[in-house]
Amino acid sequence: MKSFDTTWEILHKRQEWGKYPTEPVIRFMARNFYNKDRKTIKVLDFCCGGGSHTWYLSKEGFDVYAFDGSESAVARVNNRLEKEGLKADLRVRDALELDYEDDFFDCVIDSVSIYANKIDYIIKMYEKIYSMLRPGGQMFTSMFSKDTTGYGRGEEIEKDTFVNIPCGSLQERGMTHFFDKDEITGLLSEIGFCDLQIDQMHYTDRGNEIGQIFVQAKKPLS
């Protein structure tokens, strides 16, 4: 079973973006892991893309793992780490065909990647993250909300999931499932995640509306 959209290989092959980490991810890591022995904290950058968070996590001294379906993206991340003397376990993998062990990671970071799928694939990815986290492990995940330019435009292939979005920052970015707070809360709770903390942000970018949802969640200790 594969989920990777080759649109992303084309995009990563022809352009570079995402060189520096996002503030919500930095804040999450600082609040939860900066005061721990970082070299013992195993962190997975889920669908690492251009590798901004892989680079940041490695530079901050964590035990970093990362994957993406794009060979071009992973190659670029690897080159950047080598040039700066940083290390990470990098793999080219489809998000539905991961081979990491269960109960392995202390933390999994998804910075707007899982959203780009149909809902059944999205559920499978969150289920896989749940199984890969050790008991007590934490997840950070982010996604686009329905007040983002492009929602309701293009072709709706299932409820709240669109392709061929003709406008906004998600134009020519493949598939997008737009979330709201209730949907992501119910989905993650049903899988088994607990202690959900949800924040939302709304801003404009070159006149386009951007709504994002940020979720912190834990795998129960038992």
Side-chain angles (χ1 to χ4, degrees):
M1 181 180 294
K2 292 186 180 295
S3 64
F4 182 67
D5 183 346
T6 55
T7 297
W8 292 103
E9 170 60 21
I10 295 170
L11 291 171
H12 283 293
K13 193 171 185 177
R14 75 186 185 194
Q15 71 182 70
E16 179 180 356
W17 77 84
K19 189 174 182 179
Y20 297 105
T22 62
E23 184 177 347
V25 169
I26 295 173
R27 185 183 300 115
F28 168 76
M29 293 302 300
R31 288 175 174 174
N32 293 285
F33 296 102
Y34 270 22
N35 63 347
K36 299 182 179 180
D37 184 0
R38 300 184 194 183
K39 66 179 179 296
T40 69
I41 303 297
K42 291 180 169 57
V43 184
L44 175 64
D45 189 2
F46 195 97
C47 291
C48 63
S52 59
H53 295 107
T54 304
W55 170 82
Y56 152 71
L57 293 164
S58 180
K59 198 171 183 66
E60 288 294 326
F62 293 100
D63 184 9
V64 185
Y65 297 72
F67 77 91
D68 199 275
S70 167
E71 293 184 7
S72 296
V74 172
R76 184 173 289 121
V77 178
N78 187 58
N79 288 338
R80 184 183 186 188
L81 295 183
E82 285 186 349
K83 287 179 180 178
E84 299 192 30
L86 301 173
K87 294 182 179 180
D89 180 315
L90 294 172
R91 307 181 187 186
V92 178
R93 293 288 189 277
D94 188 281
L96 293 180
E97 298 182 340
L98 299 181
D99 50 0
Y100 303 107
E101 299 175 16
D102 287 347
D103 302 327
F104 185 74
F105 293 108
D106 298 281
C107 176
V108 176
I109 300 292
D110 158 51
S111 181
V112 285
S113 62
I114 292 177
Y115 81 90
N117 289 277
K118 291 183 177 181
I119 193 64
D120 57 339
Y121 282 7
I122 288 172
I123 292 171
K124 290 180 186 300
M125 290 177 195
Y126 283 127
E127 288 175 339
K128 183 60 177 176
I129 289 175
Y130 185 88
S131 70
M132 293 187 299
L133 282 171
R134 65 166 180 80
Q138 299 186 63
M139 174 183 69
F140 174 91
T141 182
S142 55
M143 61 220 64
F144 294 102
S145 63
K146 296 177 184 179
D147 55 357
T148 300
T149 299
Y151 176 68
R153 305 292 301 276
E155 178 187 353
E156 186 173 24
I157 59 174
E158 63 182 20
K159 187 177 185 298
D160 297 329
T161 305
F162 296 84
V163 295
N164 301 320
I165 295 172
C167 55
S169 299
L170 295 171
Q171 185 178 6
E172 298 181 352
R173 290 293 186 268
M175 185 183 304
T176 297
H177 180 83
F178 295 89
F179 280 91
D180 59 33
K181 181 178 178 180
D182 289 342
E183 181 184 19
I184 191 61
T185 299
L187 188 158
L188 295 179
S189 297
E190 186 171 342
I191 290 171
F193 286 99
C194 65
D195 296 344
L196 272 65
Q197 299 179 40
I198 300 180
D199 295 299
Q200 298 185 67
M201 179 170 64
H202 183 269
Y203 60 99
T204 59
D205 180 14
R206 291 175 289 187
N208 295 310
E209 303 289 328
I210 307 289
Q212 286 192 294
I213 301 173
F214 307 102
V215 185
Q216 301 178 44
K218 291 183 179 180
K219 182 175 180 176
L221 284 170
S222 58

